[in-house]
């Protein structure tokens, strides 16, 4: 119970910071829009790095890593051919599946989505993530032969 | 009595209700199981139709040889020269389920024969289907609607028809898996939980392993998600539920060897992939929109979604056209282009279950549910939430498919039960609330949500009273009584239909004698048992593909073709042998090592499902492969009639099938009076002669006739002249006038 409180208090605080910072960046973006699109992107990035909690950033780094792995696998498949097609599929769908599951975890643990996921606490979301990942890897190792 | 009321009003009323719920569900399961036992009680515990005989044989193999051998099973006793890689060409879910039950019962020291497990698997799973339907409907409305839906699906004849005891077919467990997967999907969507999504994927995997109809789920869930996106109901919950289902479910479905790479390669699965990509886009765009609250940016992104979606579907079309992705398979394509199968693939059109449904069939199979069904759909519209969209889509799609194909009535039945239960439970909610609002003031304050429905429901009688709502006991009682009567009649109808229409095994034919006692015609098993006992173990039997599984299962002999119609040319070869002259057929029989030929003939008994009535399909299938040698037109009289009597064409009279069916048949009747009771035709006075076959066995009622293929002639003559010589010689022994007869035979 106390741990939950610990978790919930920073999340609420971050959400408040999110709203304030986003409104601040909104004004910044509004002033920047007419000039050039790069400032918008820079604003997005600045906004992101300021408002996102540390754990979510960690998840995002993992997501980026998965994207890179998937792209590399696909590029290799395109270059070298797909002879053991099941091996390619197993590896590629492992990255895609893991990406999707991690993105789900990110969405579920995002405090802004709390109203959507009434019955899914962040701990529950993590347990779900572990459960799904285990199944995914079982299927993949079975499929790769 | 008073203590009972106190109990009900107590806090423990929840427990009482729970007890009642459990009791009702157990009773429903009991009713579902016991209404499926008619055929076991009347006849015996036996596997019924054609397909289940293969499933039964595979289950026996699984139980005897273990799972790994079953997985790698190469069956050399079917499709004779070719054999069949059984482990890779079947859905193993059914056999593995019954094998697991077999071993569990054995572990509990209850050694039950595998046959009894196979026979009673479908009734057992129908109980589980009732439970799954309860859970599904509970997500749609409330528990009372769930109980109603469970009761409906427990006894609805549309589902019983495919799940009576003894019909050991894939559908037996598939409908349970279908409903449970849908329940888990709805649950995952409502909670936005990856756990439920993963469970949904696991049961989807089980469903894929069990039935080819899993494609229905593969397209229903994406369609639901897509419609939700189009309605602007995208939510993070949808993303979580769909992607966790798709990622795990697709990977799971590829584990089944029969499915293999199909989820990547075939068009049936592309909708799921497309919606998966779409959801990624929508999810990303929502994420970005949350970051940047600019309005123009939002519209820009919406345009981006649209463009990417159009682009990806264009790529999909391109890939399909270029052949990277396989187009729709004929079986599924014929659902859209309903004339396709009849023109291009006669083997699909030849199955009686693939015909369109007539409207009495809907009433026959669903009785009152069929008119409550649209009302329930309407009520889903009036309380439109994410899960109701699913029922609506499912209802529309399933009713289309059931209209196109008789056998798909099976997938319609669950949604009809759910929807009818929603409608009926709405009615009961309104009209059963007698106690609470005795005075309108109290009623208005206590039940405001009920108040909204009241004017709509009793719009006819409401005008007289100044009070809005139905507080008069008379109207309540009238409506409730009417619906109770409907429900009772529903039960009667279901029991009657089950008992009379759907509980007859096709292996034994039952008829009634004039005194009302039952007479059983058991020719099939008589003949198959003859084959089993009196032929060498490696004898090859040629018959039409309908009987392939039964011969393999009951006679335990090698067959040329069977109900798994994976090689159309091979079936056409058998069709050609059956529909050509003896001289043409004999080399085919020799080339395929055929020892015995088996035909079904119903002319004596009036059994209409015999081979002469199926003959036209044999001709059509053979004509599809050898259009020059077999021509359908030749089997019709100049006036275009299909006849077997004197007016039959020469091609018809000389075909092997005609000769085998009517060989010696006229000997049963006084001269010149041979009568075919199915075709209602008087047969020619002189019966056909057979020179390449010997009659080996004819069952009691002449339903099954088995012929042995003659060896090559010792002196090297062809069979016709050898037979003529033999016949002439016999006659010349008896009388001196034999020479004329001999010459006559030579001329013919």
């Amino acid at each position: 119970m106390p741990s939950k409180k610990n978790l919930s208090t920073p999340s609420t605080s971050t959400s408040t910071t999110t709203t304030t910072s986003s409104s601040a960046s909104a004004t910044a973006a509004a002033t920047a829009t007419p000039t050039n699109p790069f400032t918008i992107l820079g604003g997005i990035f600045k906004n992101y790095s300021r408002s996102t909690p540390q754990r979510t950033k960690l998840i995002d780094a993992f997501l980026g890593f998965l994207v890179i792995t998937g792209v590399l696998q696909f590029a290799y498949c395109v270059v070298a051919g797909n002879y053991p097609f099941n091996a390619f599929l197993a590896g590629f769908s492992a990255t895609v599946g893991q990406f999707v599951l991690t993105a789900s975890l990110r969405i579920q643990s995002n405090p802004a989505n709390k109203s959507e996921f009434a019955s899914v606490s962040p701990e529950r979301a993590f347990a779900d993530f572990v459960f799904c990942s285990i199944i995914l890897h079982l299927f993949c190792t079975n499929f790769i032969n | 009595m008073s203590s009972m009321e106190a109990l009900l009003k107590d806090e423990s009323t929840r427990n009482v209700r729970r007890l009642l719920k459990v009791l009702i569900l157990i009773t429903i399961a009991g009713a579902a199981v016991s209404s499926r036992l008619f055929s076991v009680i009347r006849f015996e515990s036996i596997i019924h139709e054609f397909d289940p005989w293969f499933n039964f044989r595979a289950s026996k193999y699984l139980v005897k040889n273990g799972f790994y051998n079953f997985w790698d099973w190469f069956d050399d006793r079917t499709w004779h020269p070719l054999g069949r890689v059984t482990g890779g060409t079947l859905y193993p879910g059914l056999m593995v389920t019954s094998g697991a039950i077999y071993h569990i019962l054995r572990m509990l020291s209850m050694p039950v024969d595998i046959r009894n497990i196979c026979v009673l698997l479908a009734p057992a799973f129908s109980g589980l289907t009732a439970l799954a339907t309860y859970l599904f409907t509970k997500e749609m409305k409330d528990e009372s609607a769930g109980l109603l839906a469970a009761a409906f699906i427990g006894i609805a004849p549309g589902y019983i028809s495919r799940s009576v005891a003894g019909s050991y077919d894939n559908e037996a467990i598939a409908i349970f898996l279908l409903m449970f997967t849908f329940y888990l999907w709805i649950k995952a969507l409502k909670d936005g939980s990856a756990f439920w999504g993963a469970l949904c994927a696991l049961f989807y995997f089980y469903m894929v392993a069990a039935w080819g109809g899993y494609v229905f789920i593969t397209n229903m869930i994406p369609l639901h998600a897509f419609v939700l996106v189009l309605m602007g109901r995208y939510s993070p919950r949808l993303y979580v539920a769909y992607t966790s289902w798709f990622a795990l479910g697709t990977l799971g479905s590829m584990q089944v060897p029969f499915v293999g790479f199909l989820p990547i390669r075939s068009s049936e699965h592309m909708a799921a992939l497309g919606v998966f990509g779409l959801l990624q886009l929508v999810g990303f765009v929502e994420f970005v929109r949350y970051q940047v609250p600019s309005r123009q940016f939002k519209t820009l992104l919406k345009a981006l979604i649209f463009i990417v979606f159009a682009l990806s579907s264009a790529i999909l079309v391109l890939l399909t056209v270029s052949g990277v992705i396989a187009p729709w398979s004929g079986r599924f394509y014929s659902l859209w282009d309903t004339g396709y199968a009849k023109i291009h693939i006669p083997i699909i059109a030849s199955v009686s279950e693939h015909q369109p449904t007539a409207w009495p069939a809907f009433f026959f199979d669903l009785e009152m549910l069929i008119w409550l069904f649209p009302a329930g759909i309407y009520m889903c519209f009036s309380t439109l939430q994410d899960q109701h969209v699913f029922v609506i889509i499912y209802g529309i799609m399933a009713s289309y498919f059931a209209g196109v194909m008789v056998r798909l009535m099976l997938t319609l039945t669950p949604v009809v039960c759910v929807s009818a239960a929603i409608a009926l439970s709405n009615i009961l909610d309104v009209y059963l609330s007698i106690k609470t609002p005795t005075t309108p003031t109290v009623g208005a304050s206590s039940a405001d949500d009920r108040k909204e429905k009241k004017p709509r429901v009793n719009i006819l009688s409401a005008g007289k009273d100044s009070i809005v709502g139905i507080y008069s006991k008379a109207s309540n009682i009238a409506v409730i009584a009417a619906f109770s009567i409907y429900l009772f009649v529903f039960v009667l109808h279901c029991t009657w239909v089950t008992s009379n229409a759907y509980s007859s095994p096709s292996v034994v034919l039952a008829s009634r004698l004039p005194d009302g006692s039952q007479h059983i015609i058991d020719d099939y098993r008589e003949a198959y048992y003859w084959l089993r006992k009196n032929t060498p173990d490696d004898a090859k039997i040629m018959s039409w593909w309908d009987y392939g599984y039964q011969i393999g299962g009951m006679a335990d002999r090698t067959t040329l073709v069977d109900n798994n119609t994976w090689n159309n040319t091979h079936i056409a070869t058998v069709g050609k042998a059956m529909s050509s002259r003896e001289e043409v057929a004999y080399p085919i029989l020799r080339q395929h090592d055929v020892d015995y030929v088996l035909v079904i003939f119903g002319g004596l008994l009036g059994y209409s499902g015999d081979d002469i009535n199926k003959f036209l399909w044999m001709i059509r299938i053979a004509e599809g492969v050898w259009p020059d040698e077999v021509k359908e037109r030749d089997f019709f009289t100049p006036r275009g009639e299909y006849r077997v009597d004197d007016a039959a064409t020469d091609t018809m009279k000389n075909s092997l099938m005609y000769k085998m069916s009517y060989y010696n048949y006229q000997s049963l009747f006084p001269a010149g009076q041979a009568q075919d009771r199915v075709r209602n035709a008087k047969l020619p006075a002189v019966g056909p002669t057979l020179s390449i076959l010997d009659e080996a066995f004819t069952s009691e009622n002449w339903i099954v006739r088995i012929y042995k293929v003659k060896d090559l002639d010792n002196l090297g003559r062809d069979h016709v002249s050898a037979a003529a010589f033999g016949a002439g010689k016999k006659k010349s022994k008896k009388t001196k006038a034999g020479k004329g007869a001999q010459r006559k035979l030579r001329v013919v």
Side-chain angles (χ1 to χ4, degrees):
Chain A
M1 207 52 207
S3 69
K4 198 171 181 183
K5 221 164 211 174
N6 273 343
L7 266 171
S8 63
T9 37
S11 66
T12 48
S13 65
T14 48
S15 74
T16 50
T17 53
T18 312
T19 47
T20 50
S21 61
S22 68
S23 61
S25 73
T27 52
T31 52
T33 2
T35 52
N36 89 48
F38 289 105
T39 43
I40 302 180
L41 288 176
I44 290 173
F45 182 73
K46 208 181 283 171
N47 181 20
Y48 168 79
S49 52
R50 200 188 316 142
S51 65
T52 316
Q54 190 59 39
R55 268 181 297 184
T56 314
K57 274 182 184 162
L58 199 64
I59 289 178
D60 287 341
F62 184 46
L63 287 177
F65 165 71
L66 285 171
V67 169
I68 293 167
T69 325
V71 168
L72 281 180
Q73 283 185 46
F74 196 80
Y76 182 78
C77 175
V78 169
V79 172
N82 61 357
Y83 160 58
F85 191 49
N86 59 331
F88 165 69
L89 273 186
F92 189 67
S93 50
T95 46
V96 171
Q98 196 63 59
F99 178 88
V100 161
L101 292 177
T102 317
S104 297
L105 175 67
R106 191 191 190 285
I107 290 175
Q108 284 172 319
S109 57
N110 190 351
N113 285 334
K114 203 152 202 186
S115 59
E116 285 281 348
F117 299 98
S119 64
V120 183
S121 63
E123 293 90 345
R124 167 76 193 274
F126 187 69
D128 285 0
F129 172 72
V130 171
F131 177 73
C132 293
S133 301
I134 287 173
I135 293 175
L136 180 77
H137 284 90
L138 280 179
F139 276 149
C140 283
T141 45
N142 188 39
F143 195 60
I144 206 167
N145 276 335
Chain B
M1 192 59 203
S2 61
S3 67
M4 186 71 185
E5 269 176 29
L7 199 73
L8 280 168
K9 279 168 187 162
D10 208 358
E11 267 189 359
S12 67
T13 176
R14 209 153 48 107
N15 289 332
V16 173
R17 255 185 280 149
R18 190 170 295 162
L19 180 72
L20 269 179
K21 219 161 49 189
V22 170
L23 276 180
I24 291 171
L25 280 174
I26 288 175
T27 319
I28 288 171
V33 171
S34 53
S35 67
R36 284 164 168 81
L37 298 181
F38 278 111
S39 59
V40 167
I41 291 164
R42 272 188 209 146
F43 303 102
E44 60 196 292
S45 169
I46 189 188
I47 308 287
H48 281 187
E49 298 280 332
F50 299 110
D51 283 8
W53 276 100
F54 168 74
N55 300 331
F56 176 48
R57 185 160 157 259
S59 306
K60 276 201 290 192
Y61 189 89
L62 168 68
V63 165
K64 201 176 146 205
N65 296 310
F67 182 71
Y68 288 107
N69 284 322
F70 173 68
W71 203 252
D72 299 329
W73 182 23
F74 180 79
D75 187 5
D76 58 353
R77 291 180 78 80
T78 53
W79 295 93
H80 163 57
L82 311 167
R84 173 181 175 192
V85 190
T86 310
T89 55
L90 90 172
Y91 292 103
L94 184 70
M95 297 95 193
V96 171
T97 307
S98 53
I101 294 173
Y102 175 82
H103 285 300
I104 288 170
L105 286 179
R106 193 146 280 241
M107 219 158 59
L108 300 170
S109 65
M110 282 191 282
V112 181
D113 187 22
I114 183 72
R115 176 175 56 88
N116 285 320
I117 292 172
C118 292
V119 166
L120 295 175
L121 190 77
F125 266 85
S126 70
L128 290 177
T129 310
L131 184 69
T133 313
Y134 161 75
L135 293 170
F136 181 80
T137 319
K138 202 179 80 176
E139 296 299 319
M140 293 302 153
K141 192 165 175 284
D142 51 4
E143 286 172 343
S144 52
L147 289 174
L148 272 174
F152 287 156
I153 193 109
I155 55 172
Y159 174 42
I160 285 188
S161 65
R162 308 302 305 248
S163 67
V164 287
S167 81
Y168 179 56
D169 215 340
N170 291 330
E171 289 92 328
I173 63 172
I175 296 301
F176 161 65
L177 294 171
L178 183 85
M179 284 320 276
F180 206 68
T181 311
F182 283 158
Y183 160 68
L184 291 170
W185 161 246
I186 293 298
K187 187 87 182 157
L189 180 66
K190 264 183 153 179
D191 288 1
S193 152
F195 172 71
W196 290 105
L199 277 189
C200 179
L202 284 181
F203 271 85
Y204 172 70
F205 164 57
Y206 190 6
M207 172 77 180
V208 174
W211 193 35
Y214 76 89
V215 178
F216 185 60
I217 301 184
T218 324
N219 286 304
M220 272 308 297
I221 293 180
L223 187 61
H224 183 210
F226 185 59
V227 169
L228 286 181
V229 170
L230 284 189
M231 289 169 80
R233 283 168 179 258
Y234 170 82
S235 63
R237 287 177 289 115
L238 179 64
Y239 180 88
V240 172
Y242 186 83
T243 53
S244 58
W245 167 75
F246 179 79
L248 297 177
T250 308
L251 208 51
S253 67
M254 288 194 294
Q255 316 285 322
V256 179
F258 194 24
V259 177
F261 297 138
L262 279 186
I264 309 293
R265 287 267 165 85
S266 81
S267 296
E268 290 95 336
H269 300 76
M270 284 303 123
L273 195 63
V275 171
F276 180 71
L278 178 73
L279 276 184
Q280 303 302 324
L281 275 178
V282 175
F284 180 71
V285 165
E286 292 282 316
F287 172 72
V288 172
R289 194 176 72 175
Y290 174 75
Q291 302 285 329
V292 182
S294 157
R295 221 165 166 214
Q296 291 135 340
F297 209 60
K298 209 163 51 178
T299 48
L300 195 75
L301 284 173
K302 267 184 185 163
L304 184 80
I305 290 182
F306 181 74
I307 289 168
V308 172
F309 182 68
L311 208 72
S312 58
S313 48
I315 288 173
L316 198 69
V317 169
L318 206 75
L319 283 177
T320 313
V321 170
S322 66
V324 178
I325 295 170
W328 291 78
S329 69
R331 246 164 245 267
F332 291 109
Y333 188 72
S334 61
L335 286 175
W336 302 111
D337 185 355
T338 47
Y340 178 78
K342 197 162 178 162
I343 301 166
H344 298 284
I345 324 168
I347 204 155
I348 293 179
S350 76
V351 179
S352 64
E353 283 172 335
H354 293 172
Q355 306 301 321
T357 320
W359 70 263
F362 285 101
F363 186 75
F364 191 70
D365 277 357
L366 300 162
E367 218 249 341
M368 68 178 282
L369 305 182
I370 199 63
W371 52 262
L372 281 172
F373 169 52
I377 294 288
Y378 169 75
M379 278 162 188
C380 283
F381 266 113
S382 60
T383 55
L384 199 60
Q385 285 168 332
D386 288 355
Q387 66 267 29
H388 296 127
V389 177
F390 185 78
V391 174
I392 293 165
I393 296 171
Y394 182 12
I396 291 168
M397 297 303 285
S399 16
Y400 170 74
F401 290 134
V404 172
M405 206 182 262
V406 174
R407 73 184 293 189
L408 291 180
M409 185 71 102
L410 185 70
T411 51
L412 175 69
T413 307
V415 72
V416 168
C417 290
V418 169
S419 167
I422 292 172
L424 187 57
S425 127
N426 263 325
I427 293 168
L428 293 183
D429 279 351
V430 174
Y431 283 95
L432 267 184
S433 59
I434 312 173
K435 286 162 204 161
T436 29
T438 36
T439 57
T441 48
V442 177
S445 63
S446 70
D448 17 333
D449 64 320
R450 216 177 290 138
K451 214 173 116 188
E452 293 171 4
K453 285 169 196 156
K454 271 165 202 160
R456 193 189 302 150
V457 173
N458 71 338
I459 197 152
L460 289 174
S461 59
K464 289 184 282 185
D465 296 333
S466 55
I467 313 162
V468 179
I470 20 154
Y471 304 131
S472 83
K473 284 202 171 118
S475 65
N476 276 337
I477 289 169
V479 171
I480 294 303
F483 271 94
S484 315
I485 290 169
Y486 290 150
L487 285 171
F488 276 117
V489 171
F490 176 68
V491 174
L492 288 180
H493 175 85
C494 289
T495 320
W496 181 83
V497 167
T498 311
S499 155
N500 286 299
Y502 292 140
S503 296
S504 46
S506 61
V507 177
V508 277
L509 312 169
S511 64
R512 296 242 168 242
L513 294 178
D515 62 343
S517 65
Q518 197 175 43
H519 178 64
I520 291 203
I521 294 154
D522 205 0
D523 281 34
Y524 278 106
R525 284 193 294 178
E526 186 192 345
Y528 293 144
Y529 204 65
W530 182 89
L531 272 180
R532 196 188 186 101
K533 288 291 167 191
N534 298 301
T535 58
D537 189 49
D538 59 345
K540 282 88 184 170
I541 319 288
M542 186 178 91
S543 71
W544 190 234
W545 60 266
D546 292 12
Y547 315 106
Y549 280 160
Q550 286 192 343
I551 293 171
M554 284 193 259
D556 190 24
R557 289 294 173 269
T558 310
T559 53
L560 259 71
V561 292
D562 64 26
N563 305 43
N564 170 275
T565 53
W566 64 273
N567 189 332
N568 194 25
T569 318
H570 209 45
I571 292 176
T573 309
V574 173
K576 186 187 169 191
M578 296 284 199
S579 56
S580 359
R581 301 171 60 86
E582 284 183 293
E583 304 90 86
V584 183
Y586 190 68
I588 299 177
L589 299 182
R590 292 292 297 182
Q591 278 163 0
H592 292 86
D593 296 340
V594 176
D595 296 309
Y596 291 91
V597 185
L598 179 146
V599 289
I600 307 294
F601 174 65
L604 183 62
L605 216 62
Y607 172 62
S608 61
D610 68 351
D611 275 347
I612 293 283
N613 278 1
K614 292 173 185 169
F615 192 33
L616 276 178
W617 286 110
M618 303 184 199
I619 296 161
R620 274 171 207 155
I621 290 167
E623 190 180 4
V625 180
W626 293 280
D628 300 333
E629 298 174 56
V630 185
K631 290 192 187 71
E632 190 183 347
R633 189 65 196 82
D634 294 344
F635 292 84
F636 292 111
T637 60
R639 290 173 62 195
E641 291 165 316
Y642 178 65
R643 299 181 72 156
V644 294
D645 52 9
D646 280 320
T649 59
D650 280 347
T651 321
M652 181 75 189
K653 278 183 182 164
N654 287 321
S655 67
L656 195 64
M657 173 58 71
Y658 183 89
K659 287 187 169 184
M660 285 194 294
S661 293
Y662 293 111
Y663 184 66
N664 267 345
Y665 184 58
Q666 78 282 0
S667 68
L668 283 178
F669 298 89
Q673 307 216 352
Q675 182 80 15
D676 184 327
R677 293 215 177 113
V678 176
R679 264 71 54 179
N680 273 328
K682 208 174 127 211
L683 295 170
V686 182
T689 54
L690 270 174
S691 49
I692 61 165
L693 301 169
D694 279 327
E695 184 176 358
F697 178 81
T698 295
S699 62
E700 188 189 351
N701 299 298
W702 290 59
I703 288 186
V704 186
R705 311 198 63 183
I706 300 170
Y707 292 88
K708 179 156 177 47
V709 179
K710 276 188 194 164
D711 246 339
L712 287 175
D713 189 55
N714 282 337
L715 300 176
R717 299 165 296 182
D718 65 292
H719 281 96
V720 179
S721 56
F725 184 72
K729 199 165 187 187
K730 214 188 267 169
K731 272 192 175 166
S732 68
K733 246 182 209 172
K734 272 184 201 163
T735 59
K736 286 288 165 192
K739 276 188 178 175
Q742 200 178 355
R743 191 169 295 147
K744 234 181 205 170
L745 273 166
R746 269 200 186 131
V747 169
V748 170

